């Protein structure tokens, strides 16, 4: 992240925390394989397991329930394919990694605010839900809308089904969720990319997807990523110690949304419980692609929620599932805040947003959308 730019794309990735950099380089200097039996290997194992213990304390789970992976995508795949499920029910707003892993899944609809429709889930669940796995994210990466996880877990368990919760966007921001399987990714909370975990509260039912040398109690093969795991653990410790940052972000988002609504913005998922760091904003009459370019030129990094790995902007499946029409959805951008976001960042973003919206109104006389 360049110093003189305004970074408002924290849901895509967060800047690596200095504590994580220190932990990474310290662990990298230890330079031994945690599975080696010599003294260097045993020291590396000690460091690895103590990072696991620290993470478990922050997640509120047993250390033995943590299986380290290469990130959120792999953790999702491990639960979806290693849990023994034969039927998958996934919400319509899950991250693309879920649908791609289980293309035959049944889709649980959401309401116009993006919340899972509990009535539909109850109808979809078979009398005996054994072998059914329900995948619902804790909070959505585009809108920030939070799902009623406890309620979903209790309905699922009443039918004998299991629940997979994608907590990639909420770790370090909200209390760790319930669920039989919970996915975590370090780069969203100040750790490095390429490391994450699956918390398996029913690990005894899980089998490996990536088989190898028996690491992670046989549940995930591959040499342990000691520097990555140490950095992930240090990053989460730093976030948990910084108690005020989420409420600071909530206050800044509130100021931003109030100001931009007065200038004509629409906010998706506004009436739902939302992650305090996320806002999906529509600027009527201005295509998101055009907004992204203009913000970028003004030194501001934001994204459309639907940006895919190629950097192209596609149609947002999340907004479509909420019933937002194509024209409106194509005018929405995602603004996401983090622990270093300042009042000045938000002020400058709002000024740029208002200027762009004003220009669009002047150009069209308040009529046609560029995106139409
Ligand atoms: N789930 C959600 C909600 C995400 O936002 C992301 C990343 O954008 C992922 C899963 C994938 O995580 P990773 O990048 O660690 O594979």
């Amino acid at each position: 992240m360049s110093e003189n730019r305004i970074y408002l794309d924290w849901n895509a990735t967060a800047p690596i925390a200095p504590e994580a950099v220190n932990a990474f380089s310290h662990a990298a200097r230890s330079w031994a394989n945690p599975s080696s039996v010599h003294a260097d290997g045993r020291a590396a194992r000690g460091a690895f397991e103590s990072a696991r213990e620290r993470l478990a304390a922050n997640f509120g789970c047993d250390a033995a329930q943590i299986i380290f992976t290469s990130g959120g995508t792999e953790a999702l795949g491990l639960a979806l394919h290693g849990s023994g499920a034969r039927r998958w029910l996934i919400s319509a707003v899950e991250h693309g990694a879920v649908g791609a892993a289980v293309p035959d899944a049944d889709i649980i609809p959401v309401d116009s605010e993006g919340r899972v429709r509990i009535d539909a889930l109850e109808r979809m669940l078979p009398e005996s839900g054994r072998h059914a796995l329900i995948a619902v994210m804790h909070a959505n990466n585009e809108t920030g809308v939070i799902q009623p996880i406890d309620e979903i877990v209790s309905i699922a368990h009443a039918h004998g089904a299991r629940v997979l919760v994608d907590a990639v966007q909420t770790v370090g921001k909200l209390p760790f969720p319930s669920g039989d399987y919970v996915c975590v990714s370090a780069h969203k909370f100040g750790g490095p990319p390429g490391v994450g975990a699956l918390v398996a509260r029913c690990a005894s039912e899980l089998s490996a997807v990536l088989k190898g040398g028996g690491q992670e109690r046989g549940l995930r093969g591959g040499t342990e990523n000691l520097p990555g795991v140490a950095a992930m653990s240090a990053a989460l410790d730093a976030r948990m110690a910084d108690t005020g940052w989420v409420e600071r972000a909530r206050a800044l988002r509130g100021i931003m949304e109030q100001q931009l609504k007065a200038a004509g913005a629409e906010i998706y998922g506004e009436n739902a419980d939302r992650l305090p760091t996320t806002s999906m904003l529509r600027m009527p009459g201005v295509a998101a692609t055009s907004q992204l370019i203009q913000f970028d030129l003004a030194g501001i990094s934001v994204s459309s929620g639907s940006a895919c790995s190629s950097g192209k902007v596609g149609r947002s499946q999340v907004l479509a599932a909420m019933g937002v029409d194509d024209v409106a959805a194509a005018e929405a951008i995602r603004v996401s805040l983090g622990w270093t976001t300042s009042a000045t960042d938000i002020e400058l973003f709002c000024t740029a947003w208002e200027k762009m919206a004003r220009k669009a109104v002047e150009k069209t006389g308040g009529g046609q959308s560029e995106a139409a």
Side-chain angles (χ1 to χ4, degrees), residues 22 32 196 207 219 238 322 364:
N22 285 342
S207 50
L219 291 173
M322 290 162 67
T364 62

Side-chain angles (χ1 to χ4, degrees), residues 35-344:
S35 293
S36 296
V37 292
H38 47 65
D40 293 327
R42 293 196 305 278
R45 169 63 58 193
F48 193 70
E49 295 307 326
S50 86
R52 194 194 304 270
E53 294 282 350
R54 289 293 317 136
L55 284 162
N58 282 323
F59 296 156
C61 70
D62 291 342
Q65 294 173 330
I66 298 179
I67 300 137
F68 291 116
T69 65
S70 65
T73 302
E74 190 196 325
L76 287 165
L78 174 55
L80 289 164
H81 289 300
S83 65
R86 291 192 213 135
R87 186 181 167 203
W88 296 269
L89 289 86
I90 71 174
S91 93
V93 294
E94 290 309 290
H95 187 269
V98 176
V102 284
D104 296 333
D106 293 319
I107 308 295
I108 315 162
V110 295
D111 66 15
S112 59
E113 297 295 327
R115 291 171 296 222
V116 162
R117 290 222 353 242
I118 298 290
D119 58 323
L121 171 64
E122 280 181 316
R123 271 197 307 278
M124 291 169 77
L125 259 177
E127 197 52 37
S128 164
R130 236 165 69 81
H131 305 304
L133 181 64
I134 299 167
V136 175
M137 66 207 324
H138 193 192
N140 187 263
N141 45 306
E142 296 187 29
T143 59
V145 169
I146 297 171
Q147 301 295 348
I149 298 297
D150 289 344
E151 195 181 352
I152 291 167
V153 169
S154 94
I155 293 168
H157 286 180
H159 287 77
R162 295 290 188 200
V163 181
L164 162 61
V165 179
D166 177 345
V168 164
Q169 291 293 345
T170 61
V171 173
K173 298 173 193 159
L174 299 181
F176 201 72
S178 59
D180 302 296
Y181 301 101
V182 183
C183 294
V184 169
S185 175
H187 73 101
K188 307 290 185 179
F189 55 84
V195 58
L198 178 68
V199 172
R201 293 191 171 109
C202 46
S204 61
E205 295 174 16
L206 198 66
S207 50
V209 171
L210 200 56
K211 299 186 174 77
Q215 292 91 349
E216 296 298 276
R217 301 181 313 289
L219 291 173
R220 199 279 186 176
T223 300
E224 294 90 341
N225 178 359
L226 171 57
V229 164
M232 169 160 71
S233 170
L236 190 56
D237 278 347
R239 289 293 44 86
M240 301 307 278
D242 179 8
T243 49
W245 82 268
V246 176
E247 288 315 307
R248 278 198 309 275
R250 187 195 298 279
L252 290 176
R253 184 190 66 172
I255 293 167
M256 170 185 82
E257 289 189 343
Q258 205 178 7
Q259 188 171 336
L260 298 187
K261 262 165 57 175
E266 283 171 36
I267 296 157
Y268 293 110
E270 190 186 4
N271 300 313
D273 210 8
R274 278 181 302 151
L275 204 53
T277 52
T278 306
S279 188
M280 187 76 162
L281 294 167
R282 177 186 176 201
M283 185 187 292
V286 186
T289 40
S290 163
Q291 292 181 52
L292 296 190
I293 293 166
Q294 293 184 64
F295 281 122
D296 193 26
L297 291 173
I300 300 171
S301 300
V302 286
S303 77
S304 108
S306 52
C308 61
S309 55
S310 64
K312 292 193 188 109
V313 178
R315 185 167 178 265
S316 165
Q317 297 304 321
V318 173
L319 294 183
M322 290 162 67
V324 176
D325 69 64
D326 285 356
V327 172
E331 296 173 342
I333 61 159
R334 176 185 69 187
V335 179
S336 49
L337 292 69
W339 48 91
T340 60
T341 304
S342 68
T344 310

Side-chain angles (χ1 to χ4, degrees), residues 285 360 364 366-370 372:
T364 62
Q368 274 284 302
S369 158
E370 281 180 37

Side-chain angles (χ1 to χ4, degrees), residues 340-359:
T340 60
T341 304
S342 68
T344 310
D345 292 342
I346 294 300
E347 207 179 296
L348 292 172
F349 169 72
C350 287
T351 306
W353 196 99
E354 286 169 335
K355 191 169 150 202
M356 211 182 292
R358 243 189 341 265
K359 237 171 58 189

